[in-house]
């Protein structure tokens, strides 16, 4: 007789190719089989929780996807995405009748990437313009294309092709008097020449005999103004008459004014110098006024300016033509396309400043209608300095999104699959740059490699981690001394182990991702010895669990730090991960049908894992949304939840439970006040036998959890016992809060180790056991000295350690 103690199961199920590798250190903490058990961070095994039925998908024949939405303050939602729609759920069920149309087809859903900021979810993928999904209230949701303010752009045109606009974006006409050709100009000094600040010519217009004053323009009908340019007088370097403190004010009656913009310290103007200013405004006003102070130079008299140019908000403009001199340089020589509608064009005016157009319609291969954003143009001269927008239906839309240093980052279009674009700091929809570059401006970086490798995902860290199909690279600072920005950026290699499209999982400072074929899981962490991030496989000894290829994954941080992944066959792999404690335990799970999606969501007391499970119910295919329940740890057995697709009745003692149409025709288990009863759902209801009643009745599909120890070799007198017949004839199993556990031969008889004992309360099921269960078991010589463990029904089971005696043939 030889005794073997297995005190930990922290490695979970071992690859079949390694079950005889007793020389490995991890061998003593592994199992040959671990199904529907989870390995605990402290080394034990616990039966996984069952699942709660939440609802059936809108169309069970099609399936869908789950995307979490965490608004905060206890407001956590799961979004059911299906073919061209999404619906909203909480753990209590569907939220009202909320259903919102989307542009995403069923085939688009697995490739979607998303990040969230407060009440907005930014979504990319499907070859569709990035979308913003917003929550206005519990029952009011919307989704639509993100309204980008500027950029990003392709390289500057290098062909002779010029672009000529037919409009200026300036709603004020070229004035010839204070009232002609339209509108009214007036100034604080009642000057009859005030109109000259709007005549689009250099000069000098005195607006006040002192240091303060104003000049205004009144439109015939209200207009939305959101930017302006000022030009200094043509002799300002001599007198410094230009004001350096002012407000832009607006009114609809000429008496009550709203301040739209305030500037101070605007001094040291050169003659004829232009400066640009912008502000947020969505309201149309009839009057716009420049009200200034601190003008007139050192003597404070004869305050004067050169010109004012207002810009009408682009979305309020009447679109005008933008004509190309030829198709050369436009979409590779093919000219403007219908798919360019919505695309941006950056255009440098004759004053050297860049503006941007938005295409609203296409007239021909060389003519489009546009609206002008940023600032108004001074003239309609043709220019060869222009850049087409990088994102469009023609060039493709970014497929990936992420955060980095308070910027929203996008990556990977059809035309530029290796390009990363980051927004301006704290301005997530603005991808423009200033006339003189600033650190807060948008950043563009190309991911360099020897071949074109599509960017698969982005992850926020001190650097932006970029996963491609052949490598993982980082975008960050070129020098640590300066802030990250367009003039201080570089990309560098991290590892040449590539990734697939499944979004990676960040656990602390460690990044876990799946290889390019989804058949392995890799851990990337900073290594001080290598002075960089190092990638290594964490699935090598459990590679059999990944062979079908992983389709997706999520991370349940609390209570057990488990990564849940599902493969292309619908099987689920759990990975208990606690790097500091060297816990890398993998376990497989059967939910009674293929799992097509998993997603994590903050819950009450622990993280929730939501599932879409394809089940065959009463002979028909049903796709159900379910929530995995927390494994039982403490309390009374009646509160355990270890049945799948289950519903709970809790209340006054009852014999019959209704409302079970989702399990119609199925054999189920009724876990009633701690006791299991088999039943079949008929007419959407079940009953306890013999008129019995119970206060807590959990009704669901039975789940069998199985574990099997490894064939640990025993040293015989004449050498190794490997290959000799052996059997287990006794076992001592340390358990905690366990209501059921069977042990013995996998293909033979299993002994129940938890049973009713003398002294236990009569008329009640055997209480939960904690301690050591000492039992003789029946196994066969051909079992190879391995012990099979199994539990089913509604009762909990936690195994802490096993000590079993083995006999081996001489």
């Amino acid at each position: 007789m030889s005794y073997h103690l297995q005190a930990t199961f922290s490695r979970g199920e071992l690859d079949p190719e390694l079950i005889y590798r007793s020389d490995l250190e991890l061998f003593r903490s592994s199992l040959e089989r671990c199904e529907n058990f989870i390995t605990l961070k402290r080394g034990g095994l616990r039966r996984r929780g069952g699942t709660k039925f939440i609802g059936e998908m809108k169309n069970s024949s099609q399936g869908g996807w789950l995307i979490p939405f965490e608004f905060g303050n206890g407001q956590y939602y799961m979004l059911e995405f299906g073919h061209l729609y999404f619906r909203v759920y909480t753990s209590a069920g569907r939220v009202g009748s909320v259903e919102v149309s989307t542009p995403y087809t069923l085939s688009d859903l697995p490739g979607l990437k998303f990040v969230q900021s407060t009440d907005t979810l930014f979504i990319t993928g499907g070859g569709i313009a990035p979308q913003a999904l917003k929550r206005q209230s519990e029952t009011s949701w919307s989704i639509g294309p993100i309204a980008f303010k500027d950029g990003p752009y392709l390289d500057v045109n290098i062909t002779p092709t010029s672009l000529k606009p037919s409009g200026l974006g300036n709603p004020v006409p070229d004035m010839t008097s204070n009232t002609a050709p339209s509108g009214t100009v007036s100034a604080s000094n009642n000057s009859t020449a005030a109109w000259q600040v709007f005549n689009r010519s250099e000069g000098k217009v005195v607006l006040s005999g002192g240091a303060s004053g104003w000049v205004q323009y009144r439109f015939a009908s209200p207009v939305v103004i959101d930017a302006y340019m000022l030009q200094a007088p043509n002799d300002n370097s001599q007198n410094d008459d230009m004001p350096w403190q002012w407000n832009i004010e607006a009114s609809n009656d000429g008496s009550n004014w709203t301040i739209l913009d305030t500037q101070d310290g605007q001094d040291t103007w050169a003659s004829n110098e232009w400066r640009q200013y912008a502000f947020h405004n969505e309201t149309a006003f009839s009057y716009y006024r420049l009200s200034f102070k601190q003008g007139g130079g050192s003597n404070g008299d004869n305050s004067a300016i050169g010109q004012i140019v207002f810009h009408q908000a682009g979305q309020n403009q009447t679109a005008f033509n933008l004509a190309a001199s030829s198709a050369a340089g436009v979409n590779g020589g093919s000219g403007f396309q219908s798919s360019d509608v919505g695309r941006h064009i950056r255009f440098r005016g004759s004053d050297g400043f860049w503006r941007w157009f938005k295409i609203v319609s296409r007239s021909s291969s060389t003519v489009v209608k546009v609206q002008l954003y940023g600032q108004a143009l001074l003239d309609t001269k043709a220019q060869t300095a222009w850049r087409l927008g990088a994102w469009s239906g023609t060039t493709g839309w970014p497929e990936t999104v992420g955060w980095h240093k308070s910027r929203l980052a996008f990556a990977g279009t059809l035309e530029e699959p290796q390009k990363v674009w980051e927004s301006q700091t704290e301005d997530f929809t603005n991808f423009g740059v200033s006339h003189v570059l600033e650190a807060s401006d948008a950043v563009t970086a190309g991911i360099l490699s020897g071949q074109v490798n599509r960017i698969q995902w982005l992850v926020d860290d001190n650097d932006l981690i970029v996963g491609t199909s052949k490598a993982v690279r980082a975008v960050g600072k070129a020098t640590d001394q300066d802030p990250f920005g367009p003039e201080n950026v570089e990309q560098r290699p991290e590892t040449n182990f590539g990734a697939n499209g499944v979004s990676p999982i960040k656990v602390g400072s460690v990044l876990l991702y799946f290889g390019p074929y989804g058949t392995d899981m890799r851990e990337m962490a900073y290594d001080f010895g290598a002075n960089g991030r190092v990638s290594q496989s964490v699935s090598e000894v459990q590679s059999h669990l990944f062979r079908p290829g992983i389709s997706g994954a999520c991370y349940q941080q609390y209570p057990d730090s488990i990564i849940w992944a599902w493969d292309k066959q619908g099987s689920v792999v759990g990975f208990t991960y606690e790097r500091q404690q060297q816990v890398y335990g993998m376990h497989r799970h059967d939910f009674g049908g293929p799992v097509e999606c998993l997603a994590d969501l903050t819950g009450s007391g622990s993280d929730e894992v939501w599932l879409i499970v394809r089940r065959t119910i009463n002979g028909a295919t049903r796709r159900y949304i379910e929530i995995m329940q927390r494994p039982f740890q403490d309390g009374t057995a009646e509160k355990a939840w270890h049945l799948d697709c289950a519903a709970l009745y809790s209340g006054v003692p009852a014999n019959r439970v209704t409302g079970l149409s989702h399990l119609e025709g199925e054999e189920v288990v009724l876990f009633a006040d701690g006791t299991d009863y088999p039943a079949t759902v008929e007419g959407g209801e079940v009953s306890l036998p013999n008129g019995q009643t119970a206060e807590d009745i959990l009704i669901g599909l039975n789940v069998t959890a199985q574990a099997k120890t490894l064939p640990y070799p025993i040293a015989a007198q004449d050498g190794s016992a490997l290959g000799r017949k052996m059997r287990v004839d006794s076992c001592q199993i340390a358990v905690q809060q366990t209501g059921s556990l069977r042990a013995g031969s996998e293909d033979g008889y299993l002994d129940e180790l938890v049973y009713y004992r003398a002294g236990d309360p009569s008329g009640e099921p055997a209480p939960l056991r904690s301690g050591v269960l000492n039992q003789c078991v029946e196994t066969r010589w051909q079992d190879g000295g391995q012990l099979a463990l199994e539990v089913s029904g509604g009762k909990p089971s936690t195994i802490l350690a096993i000590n079993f005696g083995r006999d081996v043939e001489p």
Side-chain angles (χ1 to χ4, degrees), residues 104-181:
Y104 300 115
T105 64
L106 189 65
S107 61
D108 294 332
L109 302 180
L112 299 185
K113 300 292 191 299
F114 50 88
V115 294
Q116 187 174 344
S117 174
T118 60
D119 62 350
T120 302
L121 194 71
F122 300 102
I123 307 175
T124 60
I128 295 167
Q131 302 284 302
L133 186 154
K134 296 184 179 181
R135 173 196 180 275
Q136 286 86 29
S137 70
E138 182 86 4
T139 57
S140 179
W141 299 71
S142 65
I143 187 172
I146 300 174
F148 293 106
K149 299 175 185 176
D150 191 5
Y153 299 98
L154 302 177
D155 293 337
V156 176
N157 168 59
I158 58 174
T159 72
T161 300
S162 63
L163 297 182
K164 178 177 175 57
S166 64
L168 299 173
N170 180 0
V172 179
D174 185 357
M175 297 299 289
T176 57
S177 73
N178 282 353
T179 57

Side-chain angles (χ1 to χ4, degrees), residues 8-335:
T8 177
F9 311 94
S10 60
R11 276 290 185 167
E13 185 171 312
L14 197 62
D15 192 294
E17 295 181 6
L18 301 175
I19 63 173
Y20 294 103
R21 287 291 306 275
S22 58
D23 58 313
L24 297 174
E25 182 180 352
L26 57 85
F27 194 87
R28 292 178 177 269
S29 57
S30 301
L31 295 163
E32 181 179 326
R33 184 179 183 87
C34 185
E35 181 173 332
N36 292 328
F37 278 109
I38 61 174
T39 61
L40 303 178
K41 291 185 290 184
R42 300 171 186 84
L45 285 179
R46 178 171 290 141
R47 189 183 183 191
R48 74 158 170 85
T51 66
K52 175 184 177 182
F53 172 77
I54 296 298
E56 185 173 1
M57 295 196 67
K58 178 182 177 180
N59 191 334
S60 270
S61 66
Q62 290 186 335
W65 210 252
L66 297 173
I67 295 180
F69 188 100
E70 301 196 355
F71 186 62
N73 298 321
Q75 300 177 78
Y76 306 114
Y77 305 92
M78 187 62 72
L79 308 181
E80 170 203 334
F81 272 71
H83 184 69
L84 303 177
Y85 78 92
F86 78 83
R87 304 199 294 187
V88 182
Y89 291 83
T90 68
S91 57
R94 188 178 170 194
V95 176
S97 58
V98 176
E99 184 174 317
V100 180
S101 297
T102 78
Y104 300 115
T105 64
L106 189 65
S107 61
D108 294 332
L109 302 180
L112 299 185
K113 300 292 191 299
F114 50 88
V115 294
Q116 187 174 344
S117 174
T118 60
D119 62 350
T120 302
L121 194 71
F122 300 102
I123 307 175
T124 60
I128 295 167
Q131 302 284 302
L133 186 154
K134 296 184 179 181
R135 173 196 180 275
Q136 286 86 29
S137 70
E138 182 86 4
T139 57
S140 179
W141 299 71
S142 65
I143 187 172
I146 300 174
F148 293 106
K149 299 175 185 176
D150 191 5
Y153 299 98
L154 302 177
D155 293 337
V156 176
N157 168 59
I158 58 174
T159 72
T161 300
S162 63
L163 297 182
K164 178 177 175 57
S166 64
L168 299 173
N170 180 0
V172 179
D174 185 357
M175 297 299 289
T176 57
S177 73
N178 282 353
T179 57
S182 66
T184 303
V185 181
S186 56
S188 53
N189 63 354
N190 296 315
S191 172
T192 58
W195 60 272
Q196 294 178 11
V197 302
F198 296 104
N199 72 347
R200 300 173 189 165
S201 298
E202 296 177 358
K204 178 177 181 179
V205 182
V206 176
L207 301 174
S208 170
S212 62
W214 52 265
V215 61
Q216 74 181 29
Y217 182 86
R218 179 184 179 182
F219 290 97
S221 58
V223 175
V224 180
I225 299 296
D226 65 359
Y228 61 102
M229 295 191 298
L230 289 181
Q231 186 182 38
N234 55 8
D235 64 350
N236 196 63
S237 60
Q238 301 175 25
N239 301 320
D240 196 24
D241 290 332
M242 187 72 181
W244 56 269
Q245 183 186 70
W246 67 81
N247 293 331
I248 294 294
E249 301 170 343
S251 173
N252 274 317
D253 58 12
S255 299
N256 299 294
W257 296 90
T258 298
I259 296 176
L260 301 178
D261 186 51
T262 298
Q263 297 293 330
D264 196 359
Q266 297 293 316
D267 53 2
T268 64
W269 288 77
S271 296
N272 294 325
E273 179 185 354
W274 282 102
R275 295 185 188 180
Q276 299 181 337
Y277 307 91
F279 50 85
H280 180 77
N281 176 41
E282 297 180 356
T283 303
F285 294 97
S286 295
Y287 296 81
Y288 287 90
R289 180 166 72 179
L290 173 73
S291 178
F292 57 85
K293 298 178 181 179
Q294 306 300 326
S298 59
N299 55 10
D301 64 352
N302 294 327
S303 296
I305 65 173
Q307 293 186 71
I308 302 175
V309 176
F310 286 127
H311 173 261
Q312 183 179 9
Q315 65 273 19
N316 296 101
Q317 294 174 16
T318 299
F320 52 87
N321 285 339
L322 181 68
S325 59
S326 75
V330 180
N331 290 325
S334 60

